[in-house]
Amino acid sequence: MFNLHCIGYLLDDTKAENYSKVYQIIDVLEQLYACKDEAGRDYSDYELYITGHSLGGALTQLLAFVLAGSEEASFIPKPINAISFASPIVGDKNYLEEFQKLEKDNKLRHIRVSNNNDVVPYQVPGFRQTGVNFHVKEGKKMEVKYLNPKSLLSQCRFKSSIPKHGLGSYFSRLYAKDKHGNLLNGDVLRKTIEQLYEDYAGVAYPNRGNTVGSIIFFSCVLSVGCTLLHMVLVSPGLLFWRGVLTLGLKVSDYLWSFARKITKKTKHE
């Protein structure tokens, strides 16, 4: 069982084309992984990170799940990494079991960020959350656990729940500082995704070295821009998709180095 709205959006054939969004995305990624820039650099060994907020968070984990298990996407280096913010729950226990198989096979990882008193990511009867959860709180260290479902009753605060769903609230709590100017969550943000999976999910991976703090910072930047990019990307077609994504890779080095600088500063605090 899946969230039918999300899975239908990804897997149903579109009206404009006779194939699904997933296959459109795979086509774009295949072109991107095969292309070379003017300097001869290719992207064939680049890791894939998928990110989104709210409904985009649900689509993030579903798309990562589909790509990780798809033979058509076998050209993408594994594992595929999902970074979701405020993701609604999307699948039942069978989905969770298949998700965990891909995690154990080193094909899929998911960092799921939720906010205290945000009701959108709450546990729905019959459905299951996935991934390593960062549950951020006001003025406190975040709670880090594997899966970590939260009930609607525990999260519902009628006057404050809506503002807690915004990405700004997520970001400010993730990177909050104590009275001495140190990051409250610095000890976790300095870890890699591989270390977090080993610590909280009991799954050991080779360590690739990028800290989760820099990855999440970069993901927040991308998530904020997703609405604007969506308005540009939905209509023109695959060639323009490829052009925009290639342009994104050309500027990503700057954003990525900036994100890493933010996290590296915490090592000296």
Side-chain angles (χ1 to χ4, degrees), residues 22 25 27 76 82 84 93 111 130 165 246 260 268:
V22 164
I25 292 168
D27 281 349
I76 302 174
S84 70
K93 65 177 182 179
I111 300 298
T130 63
H165 185 61
T246 304
R260 295 188 71 177
H268 306 291

Side-chain angles (χ1 to χ4, degrees), residues 114-178:
S114 59
N115 195 357
N116 199 43
N117 300 144
D118 180 2
V119 299
V120 172
Y122 79 92
Q123 183 76 19
V124 177
F127 284 71
R128 300 289 187 271
Q129 288 285 15
T130 63
V132 174
N133 175 232
F134 288 3
H135 189 68
V136 296
K137 302 179 179 181
E138 180 69 35
K140 297 179 181 179
K141 293 188 68 172
M142 64 186 174
E143 183 181 331
V144 185
K145 292 182 181 179
Y146 185 63
L147 305 185
N148 197 27
K150 298 291 183 183
S151 69
L152 175 62
L153 184 62
S154 71
Q155 297 304 299
C156 186
R157 301 292 183 273
F158 292 105
K159 291 185 178 180
S160 62
S161 288
I162 293 177
K164 299 302 183 295
H165 185 61
L167 196 56
S169 176
Y170 275 72
F171 187 87
S172 64
R173 290 184 172 188
L174 270 166
Y175 295 94
K177 296 184 177 182
D178 61 22

Side-chain angles (χ1 to χ4, degrees), residues 11-203:
L11 298 182
D12 290 348
D13 290 348
T14 63
K15 293 181 179 179
E17 297 90 5
N18 291 323
Y19 65 139
S20 67
K21 288 283 186 183
V22 164
Y23 284 106
Q24 292 179 49
I25 292 168
I26 290 174
D27 281 349
V28 171
L29 289 171
E30 192 167 17
Q31 293 177 56
L32 191 59
Y33 272 99
C35 79
K36 293 185 179 181
D37 64 17
E38 294 83 355
R41 182 177 65 172
D42 67 61
Y43 306 105
S44 59
D45 60 347
Y46 274 42
E47 291 183 80
L48 178 62
Y49 290 85
I50 305 171
T51 189
H53 170 257
S54 195
L55 176 59
L59 291 169
T60 289
Q61 60 168 303
L62 282 172
L63 177 60
F65 172 76
V66 171
L67 294 180
S70 170
E71 291 185 6
E72 288 85 352
S74 60
F75 62 89
I76 302 174
K78 305 298 188 296
I80 290 173
N81 307 277
I83 311 292
S84 70
F85 302 91
S87 172
I89 201 164
V90 299
D92 65 4
K93 65 177 182 179
N94 297 315
Y95 168 71
L96 175 59
E97 289 172 0
E98 294 302 317
F99 200 100
Q100 290 174 322
K101 287 179 184 178
L102 292 171
E103 289 175 324
K104 290 176 181 178
D105 289 341
N106 196 24
K107 293 182 177 180
L108 177 61
R109 298 176 299 195
H110 181 201
I111 300 298
R112 182 177 63 85
V113 187
S114 59
N115 195 357
N116 199 43
N117 300 144
D118 180 2
V119 299
V120 172
Y122 79 92
Q123 183 76 19
V124 177
F127 284 71
R128 300 289 187 271
Q129 288 285 15
T130 63
V132 174
N133 175 232
F134 288 3
H135 189 68
V136 296
K137 302 179 179 181
E138 180 69 35
K140 297 179 181 179
K141 293 188 68 172
M142 64 186 174
E143 183 181 331
V144 185
K145 292 182 181 179
Y146 185 63
L147 305 185
N148 197 27
K150 298 291 183 183
S151 69
L152 175 62
L153 184 62
S154 71
Q155 297 304 299
C156 186
R157 301 292 183 273
F158 292 105
K159 291 185 178 180
S160 62
S161 288
I162 293 177
K164 299 302 183 295
H165 185 61
L167 196 56
S169 176
Y170 275 72
F171 187 87
S172 64
R173 290 184 172 188
L174 270 166
Y175 295 94
K177 296 184 177 182
D178 61 22
K179 61 182 179 181
H180 302 294
N182 300 316
L183 287 175
L184 286 172
N185 300 309
D187 57 334
V188 176
L189 295 176
R190 284 192 291 268
K191 292 185 176 183
T192 65
I193 295 180
E194 293 81 6
Q195 289 172 328
L196 289 165
Y197 256 84
E198 186 169 358
D199 291 348
Y200 296 100
V203 180

Side-chain angles (χ1 to χ4, degrees), residues 51 53 167-168 171 218-229:
T51 189
H53 170 257
L167 196 56
F171 187 87
F218 190 64
S219 297
C220 281
V221 173
L222 291 178
S223 293
V224 168
C226 274
T227 301
L228 295 175
L229 283 174

